[in-house]
Amino acid sequence: MHRLLRDMLFGLSDAHVILEPVSGQLMHPEALTAFDQLRRDARGAGFDPKVVSGFRSFERQRTIWNGKACGRRPLLDSECRELDVACLSPVEIVFAILRWSALPGASRHHWGTDFDVIDAAAVADDYRVQLTPEEVADEGVFGPFHCWLDQRIAEGKSYGLFRPYAEDRGGVAPERWHLSYAPRAKEFQQLLTGDLLCEQLQLCQLDVNGDGEGAGVILSDTICENMEAIFARFITVPEEAYPKNIHRL
């Protein structure tokens, strides 16, 4: 694999993303084009979609991961209750993190094709977005927007955008706020393998100290030992989850 393509796949480069001017987030140009079209339609319906998290680098994802693995960031169960890292085995920690946070190198945000969105028209400018199930439930603050978006996706009128984590498949918790530009994301997903991920984790495993700082990913050995299960449950989005007719804009 060409070095630049590998860097884009793992979030080690931002050469493939551009600035979304309203939010200041970085996005793949094709994903931004699709989002601009969806936003135009949404504004006509009284909503104001805003990207709150676009491209995310390997380093950013590594910081999130290591913070949870060493107890500096909250580690939650499927019911959003905080877990005690000290009471869990390494495998239990890894699977608990993966329920809510992607593995560094395997986040779809690395590709710039995936982003988290809210309805800015539904809240005040100083509202602190949490990206919780309660916010995006039908009765939640962003519920009306997501109900509108449900219909657009179902009708094939979302310009190639879909929800990769629309339902609970026993891996990643449902994320109604997470949208993906299917044509390009599917290409990136097809390039990603468990072997490549393990290789990348080993390359960056230089010096991790007790507080999670350094170049490595905490519990990388445990991750690689369980990569087959991790890849199937938490990384691969099945073919049937993608839109049936994918046409690049």
Side-chain angles (χ1 to χ4, degrees), residues 135-147:
E135 285 180 320
V136 298
D138 287 356
E139 65 278 9
V141 64
F142 302 129
F145 165 66
H146 283 289
C147 288

Side-chain angles (χ1 to χ4, degrees), residues 42-118:
R43 285 175 171 169
F47 306 107
D48 186 18
K50 179 181 179 181
V51 175
V52 293
S53 182
F55 167 78
R56 198 178 299 150
S57 69
F58 181 94
E59 173 58 24
R60 174 59 181 156
Q61 201 65 36
R62 187 196 69 84
T63 299
I64 295 170
W65 179 278
N66 284 0
K68 291 188 175 184
C70 70
R72 286 189 293 109
R73 289 172 177 260
L75 182 59
L76 307 178
D77 66 11
S78 293
E79 305 302 322
C80 294
R81 296 171 300 205
E82 190 164 348
L83 296 167
D84 185 353
V85 173
C87 296
L88 303 177
S89 70
V91 173
E92 289 172 332
I93 293 172
V94 166
F95 279 72
I97 297 174
L98 287 168
R99 181 68 171 162
W100 296 102
S101 296
L103 178 66
S107 172
R108 296 172 68 94
H109 284 269
H110 294 335
W111 311 334
T113 59
D114 288 50
F115 53 95
D116 300 331
V117 64
I118 66 164

Side-chain angles (χ1 to χ4, degrees), residues 30-38 41 108 113-115 149 152-164 178-187 241-249:
E30 294 176 33
L32 178 53
T33 297
F35 176 68
D36 279 340
Q37 293 178 301
L38 182 73
D41 294 349
R108 296 172 68 94
T113 59
D114 288 50
F115 53 95
L149 187 53
R152 298 291 295 194
I153 293 173
E155 295 174 351
K157 298 178 180 178
S158 58
Y159 307 101
L161 296 170
F162 79 111
R163 293 190 180 96
H178 184 137
L179 296 182
S180 178
Y181 179 61
R184 187 61 75 178
K186 192 171 186 180
E187 292 178 351
Y242 281 84
K244 290 182 172 58
N245 297 310
I246 298 178
H247 301 290
R248 186 172 299 159
L249 296 174

